[in-house]
Amino acid sequence: MQDTEIDVSPLLASPGFAPWHCSNSCASLGQNAGALTWQASQRHALALVLTEGQKEAFRGFVRSSGGWSDEETAAFSDADLTALCVQWIAGDIREGFGDDLPDDPSEWDWVEYLHMADNGSVASTLYLSDGKLFWSCAR
């Protein structure tokens, strides 16, 4: 497995994890949406264990997004970096599959997801392999 490929299965198994809680907007959650989603992402980040290589790959991915500088990403604590990764994964799951999901990702609508990814409607960052859900931060 490359450092850009992150096994999301432990995150999905985290008690109470729902992408809706970790990545959402003020339109749905009100003015405290940022704080609420960040707190949820921090709680569930404990389930997502990143290797040093994955942390560096995700830092590069975050820098390439244009939202943070080299200095800012270097200053992220491991806890904050992992929580941000949880938020990003949750956003990609919601964007690609919606909010009402079966617990088993093999039951998600992969045909529709791949169709949307092929058309550029969603980022093609999620895939199944050997029954596990992976998220890719490859640039």
Side-chain angles (χ1 to χ4, degrees):
M1 176 177 17
Q2 298 178 10
D3 289 334
T4 56
E5 311 302 309
I6 297 171
D7 181 358
V8 180
S9 300
L11 178 61
L12 295 179
S14 179
F17 175 76
W20 166 274
H21 295 132
C22 297
S23 178
N24 216 315
S25 68
C26 293
S28 297
L29 297 179
Q31 292 304 312
N32 291 330
L36 292 171
T37 58
W38 184 245
Q39 291 165 359
S41 295
Q42 288 174 312
R43 279 193 310 277
H44 294 293
L46 299 173
L48 192 66
V49 179
L50 303 177
T51 66
E52 288 304 315
Q54 289 170 329
K55 290 173 193 173
E56 286 311 305
F58 184 63
R59 276 190 173 87
F61 175 82
V62 169
R63 279 191 301 273
S64 73
S65 76
W68 294 269
S69 68
D70 290 349
E71 296 78 22
E72 289 170 318
T73 58
F76 287 159
S77 69
D78 284 351
D80 285 348
L81 183 73
T82 305
L84 182 59
C85 189
V86 168
Q87 280 196 316
W88 220 295
I89 292 166
D92 283 0
I93 291 171
R94 289 191 70 218
E95 180 181 61
F97 296 98
D99 292 320
D100 190 24
L101 296 172
D103 290 337
D104 183 349
S106 68
E107 296 176 15
W108 299 358
D109 191 347
W110 287 95
V111 171
E112 179 63 18
Y113 176 76
L114 294 173
H115 175 72
M116 291 187 302
D118 286 345
N119 291 325
S121 301
V122 299
S124 181
T125 57
L126 298 162
Y127 66 93
L128 288 175
S129 179
D130 295 327
K132 295 180 180 180
L133 180 65
F134 286 85
W135 180 80
S136 175
C137 64
R139 291 177 259 152

